[in-house]
Amino acid sequence: MHTVGTAVRAQANQPKVCRFYLDAFNFDTAPGINWTITPQSAQADNSAALSGVVTLANGAGVTENLLLPAGQYRLAWTVVGGGVSAASPKVFKLDCPDRPHHAGGPHGGPPAGGGGLARDAAFTPVAGAAAVGLAAAGGAAWFRLRRRSHGAA
């Protein structure tokens, strides 16, 4: 496991990371490695679990960059097709100074369309009243100007 930005061939143990990737090496005959990351905290939500496969070339391979909510996690590896554990499970801590610490996993997607409001705070009652007032005033002005097209009041 390496912090994003660490050289792939560093082979250093980094048990405390933020954004990270998995680095598998020294697997001479295996075609790939299945990996699973599960939360270790009793407060953690299981939706924060990740899993995938590292395809190996010449006994080595890496995952894409990964990111999870802050907390403690367990990484388990097994050899593809063999069902044999590739190494003892590894426990690591995910701690990002610029991200809030909260229990549980991700909560929904980004606030982008799809109908409805993305967040409660995105549309306050004052903003709603202003939008209705603006629409009403604009409609009245349009209707009044439309009636004046022939010159009468």
Side-chain angles (χ1 to χ4, degrees):
M1 172 172 313
H2 297 302
T3 298
V4 171
T6 302
V8 172
R9 298 290 174 213
Q11 297 188 11
N13 183 23
Q14 296 176 314
K16 188 175 178 183
V17 295
C18 181
R19 290 188 63 103
F20 65 100
Y21 67 95
L22 303 177
D23 185 6
F25 49 88
N26 295 333
F27 292 96
D28 295 333
T29 60
I33 301 293
N34 291 317
W35 57 270
T36 303
I37 297 174
T38 53
Q40 293 298 293
S41 171
Q43 304 153 346
D45 182 0
N46 282 335
S47 66
L50 296 175
S51 63
V53 177
V54 176
T55 303
L56 301 177
N58 299 320
V62 297
T63 65
E64 62 187 30
N65 294 341
L66 304 169
L67 183 62
L68 288 164
Q72 191 161 335
Y73 294 88
R74 178 180 181 262
L75 167 65
W77 304 78
T78 55
V79 176
V80 171
V84 178
S85 175
S88 60
K90 176 180 177 148
V91 175
F92 66 98
K93 185 173 184 176
L94 198 109
D95 186 21
C96 298
D98 59 340
R99 294 182 62 212
H101 293 263
H102 58 81
H107 298 288
L117 295 175
R119 290 174 262 148
D120 294 341
F123 198 70
T124 64
V126 173
V132 170
L134 185 60
W142 177 80
F143 186 70
R144 183 80 171 142
L145 290 173
R146 185 171 176 253
R147 289 184 52 195
R148 291 182 183 211
S149 65
H150 62 325

